[in-house]
Amino acid sequence: MRDLFASDPLRFERFSLEAAGIFLDYSKNRITTETLPLLAQLAREAGVESLRERMFSGERINRTENRAVLHTALRNLDNTPVMVDGVDVMPQVNAVRQRMARFAESVRNGEWRGHTGQPITDVVNIGIGGSDLGPLMVCRALHRFAHPRLRMHFVSTVDGDQIGCLLKKLNPATTLFIVASKTFTTQETLTNAHTARQWFLDAGNDTPAIARHFVAISTNTQAVRNFGIDPDNMFEFWDWVGGRYSLWSAIGLSIAICIGPDNFEKLLAGAQAMDRHFREMPIEKNMPMLLALLGILNGNYFHCHSHLISPYNQALDRFPAYLQQLDMESNGKTVDIDGRHITDYETGPVVWGDSGINGQHAYYQLLHQGSNVTPVDFIVSIEHPDAPPAHRDILMANFFAQTEALMRGKTEAEVRAELAAQGLSGEALEKLVPHKIFEGNRPSNSILLQRLDPQTLGALIALYEHKVFVQGAIWNINSYDQWGVELGKQLAKKIEAQLATSEPTTCHDASTNGLINYYKKRRQV
Ligand code: F6P
């Protein structure tokens, strides 16, 4: 890449673009002007454009579950009809969004009160996976827009320490629980919801009071009713919204409460702007397409097995975890859409990450000198309204420096000159030289937002959603099912029954039996 930059002064202009308020510099990839047309040809041959159209127009492209894939309809603020099996879904989408907005506003302005007449102070979203990560990530990212009275909490794990510690701090009279589950069968969520309900009743409240403190978000009305939540307190969504694509739906209720319905709508508008860009622009000028194709270049041709998401806005610290589900649950497949086992190419990479600056002082060593090459997406906003001015340029200097260091590296000649300038020579210098060489030539994308606000965040999330779509299309896999999470769930159910007895368990392999029995002997009954 050093040579490519040296030989082309226009490389930055050539390999960067702006869309929906997001600027992408992808010039620090191992590409030439010949690479992009070839990658675009790959996308065309794989039929990405026609699949894109089939997705937007409501075809059942999720073939293993026989469902449409229409998270884009949730942010179709123009209200153009979107048909599923001949029925326009927009009236129901709009109706739920209006209900959400009314409810969110009433919690925010204190009209919605707990059963003792006090306004709500704490909102607890109980959900997991897509029913947790999206709302949690967005509420953290947009904390500057949060309502000052309302504290938002997210409970996901069935490790009771999480909900146990939280409940100790809450007042039942001023707490609202949102039970968020697409299926309303997820064990972790239902266990936490039952615990919250019992805690509420144990505080001396009667069952009718539950209606002021528990609402549900689901596609499963019957299960919500069975749990004891009045369907009047339920916000609906539909099977054509995948869990990891659901923050735009009623699953975003906690977001709407936290930042307000107007800001929630701006989040949708940002995503819609990226949807338009994705749907309308040719592959070569299409940001999600380019990100996807560069990922394919790095994964399938340069054999990089993981991909780092490195946000330099602290408020985006949960964005990597959110993308991890989005990407790995979507594209972690080895069977193609026609049921054939994929043997001759790799599919989704390991996606990981954390706050970029913290990463620099932890795992970046491996990025620079490790034996595996890890492509990085660096993400930052230009404005940081709450930051003391002295911090701003230090942050940005580090951001730019990391992208440059990964690309340029440091040659042996540079290392020798540097050590000599420090006064080293002879054996002392020779010993250090190999340790101080950086190979460089390590790819990264730089993503810049003007500011981290609802609109740009919406566009950023949609950018990655479409990237995942394009990669799934090229790998010929169904990005919209997740059968791989089933086996563990089934086995856990069986083992749960075995844990209910004190008899030694013998029906598994030696390791699993051994672990279960070790636990049984030591647990406190
Ligand atoms: O087990 C995986 C999964 O189904 C995810 O796809 C989903 O986001 C999560 O569990 C939660 O599911 P639900 O919203 O139905 O509780």
Side-chain angles (χ1 to χ4, degrees):
M1 279 193 276
R2 266 190 182 212
D3 298 341
L4 294 171
F5 273 100
S7 64
D8 181 4
L10 290 179
R11 188 171 168 85
F12 173 72
E13 287 74 13
R14 223 184 283 292
F15 297 130
S16 59
L17 82 162
E18 194 157 4
I22 295 182
F23 179 80
L24 167 68
D25 167 26
Y26 59 99
S27 60
K28 290 189 181 103
N29 278 283
R30 302 164 182 181
I31 50 170
T32 67
T33 44
E34 281 166 85
T35 322
L36 281 188
L38 291 171
L39 288 171
Q41 190 185 332
L42 170 68
R44 289 202 172 91
E45 281 174 20
V48 174
E49 290 154 307
S50 71
L51 189 67
R52 175 182 61 183
E53 212 34 53
R54 289 167 56 208
M55 173 177 76
F56 275 102
S57 58
E59 256 190 58
R60 292 177 183 266
I61 63 165
N62 173 357
R63 281 180 17 204
T64 58
E65 295 180 320
N66 191 28
R67 290 174 182 168
V69 174
L70 274 180
H71 43 281
T72 51
L74 301 166
R75 54 231 191 182
N76 172 27
L77 299 175
D78 299 344
N79 216 12
T80 46
V82 179
M83 312 300 280
V84 176
D85 298 335
V87 178
D88 180 12
V89 298
M90 289 316 297
Q92 33 181 345
V93 168
N94 294 333
V96 173
R97 193 162 63 241
Q98 280 158 17
R99 267 192 76 214
M100 276 172 74
R102 279 198 299 275
F103 182 74
E105 204 44 68
S106 70
V107 173
R108 288 165 65 81
N109 66 22
E111 259 171 43
W112 180 276
R113 287 173 185 258
H115 72 290
T116 61
Q118 299 177 65
I120 299 297
T121 56
D122 292 85
V123 178
V124 184
N125 186 83
I126 299 179
I128 196 163
S131 301
D132 167 69
L133 287 165
L136 167 64
M137 180 274 287
V138 173
C139 288
R140 279 174 85 106
L142 299 179
H143 65 89
R144 290 188 49 249
F145 300 82
H147 192 285
R149 188 189 71 245
L150 296 168
R151 289 179 291 264
M152 308 302 298
H153 310 276
F154 293 85
V155 170
S156 57
T157 164
V158 77
D159 173 358
D161 281 351
Q162 191 186 26
I163 193 163
C165 290
L166 175 62
L167 292 178
K168 278 188 202 152
K169 294 188 244 161
L170 298 178
N171 173 1
T174 59
T175 300
L176 175 72
F177 292 96
I178 300 175
V179 187
S181 175
K182 178 176 171 180
T183 55
F184 230 77
T185 57
T186 304
Q187 191 186 35
E188 293 86 342
T189 300
L190 291 189
T191 306
N192 280 322
H194 278 291
T195 298
R197 188 168 178 266
Q198 198 52 50
W199 169 83
F200 182 77
L201 295 173
D202 288 349
N205 300 309
D206 54 13
T207 311
I210 285 179
R212 306 301 300 171
H213 296 272
F214 283 78
V215 299
I217 305 164
S218 188
T219 57
N220 187 345
T221 314
Q222 190 52 48
V224 169
R225 188 176 278 124
N226 294 348
F227 177 85
I229 295 180
D230 187 335
D232 282 350
N233 282 353
M234 170 177 159
F235 297 84
E236 187 195 2
F237 66 116
W238 308 275
D239 71 358
W240 41 260
V241 183
R244 52 195 173 274
Y245 299 84
S246 64
L247 70 86
W248 322 101
S249 72
I251 290 291
L253 183 63
S254 50
I255 302 174
I257 293 174
C258 177
I259 64 173
D262 291 349
N263 280 323
F264 184 68
E265 198 147 319
K266 286 185 188 153
L267 185 80
L268 301 184
Q272 184 188 29
M274 185 55 77
D275 292 344
R276 281 204 199 106
H277 167 84
F278 175 57
R279 195 172 182 180
E280 290 164 10
M281 293 308 281
I283 295 173
E284 294 82 351
K285 292 187 180 144
N286 190 311
M287 199 179 282
M289 294 269 193
L290 289 169
L291 270 194
L293 290 167
L294 292 165
I296 291 208
L297 179 72
N298 288 326
N300 294 112
Y301 296 94
F302 291 123
H303 304 292
C304 304
H305 305 297
S306 88
H307 187 93
L308 174 64
I309 306 294
S310 209
Y312 275 63
N313 287 69
Q314 196 57 31
L316 284 175
D317 65 343
R318 296 303 286 161
F319 191 57
Y322 171 77
L323 288 190
Q324 203 167 47
Q325 185 197 16
L326 178 68
D327 200 316
M328 294 173 73
E329 207 174 60
S330 297
N331 286 342
K333 320 265 162 81
T334 42
V335 171
D336 76 11
I337 193 111
D338 303 307
R340 283 186 295 257
H341 197 74
I342 299 169
T343 51
D344 50 351
Y345 55 87
E346 284 186 30
T347 57
V350 173
V351 174
W352 60 289
D354 196 353
S355 146
I357 281 279
N358 290 341
Q360 284 180 212
H361 296 272
Y363 46 78
Y364 269 42
Q365 165 63 37
L366 183 143
L367 300 187
H368 289 289
Q369 290 188 314
S371 49
N372 292 307
V373 171
T374 304
V376 187
D377 285 359
F378 290 93
I379 304 171
V380 74
S381 71
I382 293 168
E383 294 171 25
H384 291 256
D386 296 326
H391 288 236
R392 215 182 312 144
D393 286 352
I394 298 176
L395 177 78
M396 293 308 291
N398 275 278
F399 179 96
F400 300 132
Q402 290 299 328
T403 73
E404 185 180 27
L406 286 168
M407 184 279 286
R408 282 184 63 82
K410 199 189 274 183
T411 63
E412 184 175 340
E414 286 168 342
V415 172
R416 285 182 180 282
E418 190 179 277
L419 291 177
Q422 289 165 8
L424 261 77
S425 61
E427 202 184 329
L429 182 145
E430 292 305 326
K431 263 192 184 163
L432 270 181
V433 168
H435 299 282
K436 295 212 148 204
I437 292 171
F438 288 65
E439 280 173 14
N441 207 28
R442 301 191 172 211
S444 70
N445 297 307
S446 297
I447 295 176
L448 275 68
L449 326 170
Q450 185 62 33
R451 66 190 73 82
L452 185 55
D453 60 16
Q455 190 115 7
T456 50
L457 182 63
L460 184 69
I461 300 167
L463 167 65
Y464 279 95
E465 286 180 346
H466 296 317
K467 172 197 167 182
V468 166
F469 166 87
V470 173
Q471 293 190 330
I474 291 176
W475 291 322
N476 196 31
I477 54 183
N478 179 6
S479 301
Y480 299 100
D481 60 15
Q482 58 285 316
W483 302 109
V485 299
E486 293 303 320
L487 177 60
K489 288 185 189 176
Q490 285 165 3
L491 290 178
K493 277 272 167 224
K494 280 192 195 151
I495 294 175
E496 201 187 324
Q498 290 154 14
L499 293 181
T501 78
S502 52
E503 298 299 309
T505 298
T506 55
C507 56
H508 302 272
D509 59 88
S511 164
T512 312
N513 284 336
L515 289 166
I516 292 171
N517 293 328
Y518 183 90
Y519 166 71
K520 278 186 178 174
K521 268 196 214 140
R522 284 162 183 78
R523 71 178 161 192
Q524 286 174 338
V525 185

